[in-house]
Amino acid sequence: VLLGALAFFEKQSWLSNLLAQTGGDPAKAYFDVLSFHYFWNIYHHGTEHWLLETRNTLSDYGLSHVPIWITESGVTVWDDFPATAYGVPSDSPWRGTMEEQAAYVIQNAALAFHYGVERYYHFMLHDDCGNELPDAWGLRQNFTPHVCNPAQGKRRPAYAAYQLAAEQFRNLTPLWRTKKGGQDQVAFYRAHDKSRVLTLWATGGVTVTAKVSATGDTGQLYWIEPISSPLGTTGITRTLTLTPTAGVYTLTLPPATNRNSGIPGDTNYYIGGRPYLLVERDTLPP
């Protein structure tokens, strides 16, 4: 039994008000899983904030054992059809570019699993009709025929990002997370191949240099790169074998670009820059 999914948009104290009805008795919370929705924003009262708030609220009522599932999470884009056909502006609130959408898929999943989310469902595979016709939520466009915005099913970079996340974020144990110096680093241990899986990205509008202590002799670096195809822009997973220098990897992280809050003068960034995954052998399990 899943609790009806919470989005925290209008009534931010709704969960605590609901759980107060149990009288402090965990056995009277008649659900097995807390379902969670959040979109576009990983920082600044976004997904990370509400995951922490939700877990703390559950713990306050003796429900720390209840798993959290993210059953909807995604970003609608403004720089691709159908949004472009409806003249959606580049500063449209709560939207992003196709590259930002791809970055969100990886960053949001990394933070979700760091905070113990049991399952994470992306919204959505193709655009469908959205909340309104200009919405482009999908990992790919709609196909022809379709009742709304028929197209050729073009894959966006987020399609490749979802594949990469599904491939690498499996059977993970959270290790550590650091957020400083204009960058975010989230590390996991993966037992089945004795690997450390590190996801890292820039959090602000400047390029930053990351230095990472190595756990192995070499590492595989993965990222999503937009490419041009006959059907338009899409994305592909790139990989590169790296060798550390004096036990340290040095990586250049591109800047964040998304400020689409719709709040005049807002200087916050809501999605990080292009994320990288660095996967290495790690013979010292946690």
Side-chain angles (χ1 to χ4, degrees):
V1 178
L2 275 69
L3 188 67
L6 304 182
F8 310 100
F9 188 70
E10 293 180 347
K11 298 180 180 179
Q12 298 183 358
S13 61
W14 191 90
L15 178 60
S16 59
N17 292 339
L18 171 72
L19 296 181
Q21 305 305 311
T22 67
D25 182 356
K28 292 183 178 179
Y30 300 116
F31 58 93
D32 304 303
V33 174
L34 188 138
S35 180
F36 181 105
H37 289 184
Y38 220 84
F39 295 89
W40 165 67
N41 172 14
I42 64 172
Y43 297 131
H44 311 294
H45 276 71
T47 297
E48 180 180 29
H49 171 83
W50 288 112
L51 281 175
L52 287 168
E53 288 291 309
T54 299
R55 179 53 67 198
N56 289 339
T57 301
L58 289 171
S59 297
D60 288 344
Y61 288 90
L63 299 169
S64 57
H65 62 285
V66 171
I68 296 175
W69 292 7
I70 295 180
T71 47
E72 286 188 19
S73 195
V75 179
T76 181
V77 303
W78 60 261
D79 65 342
D80 191 33
F81 178 83
T84 50
Y86 293 92
V88 173
S90 61
D91 60 351
S92 178
W94 314 318
R95 287 180 165 88
T97 65
M98 287 187 284
E99 286 192 64
E100 290 165 352
Q101 183 192 47
Y104 177 92
V105 168
I106 292 173
Q107 293 166 13
N108 203 52
L111 290 175
F113 295 134
H114 170 75
Y115 286 115
V117 167
E118 186 175 77
R119 299 189 185 185
Y120 172 33
Y121 296 82
H122 180 76
F123 185 89
M124 56 192 310
L125 176 59
H126 61 88
D127 292 332
D128 199 36
C129 295
N131 294 323
E132 52 187 18
L133 289 177
D135 284 349
W137 287 103
L139 300 176
R140 64 191 311 165
Q141 294 176 351
N142 290 336
F143 288 90
T144 299
H146 194 280
V147 65
C148 299
N149 301 316
Q152 301 304 311
K154 183 193 78 177
R155 299 177 180 183
R156 299 188 176 106
Y159 191 100
Y162 187 89
Q163 289 178 314
L164 179 61
E167 175 187 277
Q168 296 296 332
F169 295 160
R170 299 174 60 196
N171 304 315
L172 301 177
T173 301
L175 285 177
W176 48 263
R177 188 269 184 105
T178 61
K179 185 185 176 189
K180 60 182 180 180
Q183 58 191 278
D184 210 336
Q185 299 186 10
V186 187
F188 302 93
Y189 178 74
R190 193 168 61 199
H192 72 266
D193 62 352
K194 295 183 173 62
S195 292
R196 183 180 74 179
V197 180
L198 174 63
T199 309
L200 63 169
W201 62 87
T203 58
V206 296
T207 300
V208 296
T209 300
K211 294 187 178 293
V212 179
S213 297
T215 62
D217 296 330
T218 62
Q220 287 298 122
L221 189 70
Y222 300 88
W223 71 97
I224 303 302
E225 186 172 297
I227 61 171
S228 295
S229 73
L231 289 177
T233 303
T234 184
I236 190 171
T237 300
R238 298 290 193 191
T239 184
L240 182 68
T241 301
L242 300 180
T243 302
T245 300
V248 174
Y249 296 100
T250 302
L251 300 173
T252 300
L253 306 179
T257 52
N258 189 286
R259 287 178 164 176
N260 287 44
S261 68
I263 301 172
D266 187 2
T267 59
N268 291 314
Y269 290 90
Y270 291 87
I271 300 170
R274 174 189 289 173
Y276 290 88
L277 272 67
L278 179 61
V279 181
E280 309 172 75
R281 288 280 291 171
D282 187 350
T283 58
L284 298 174

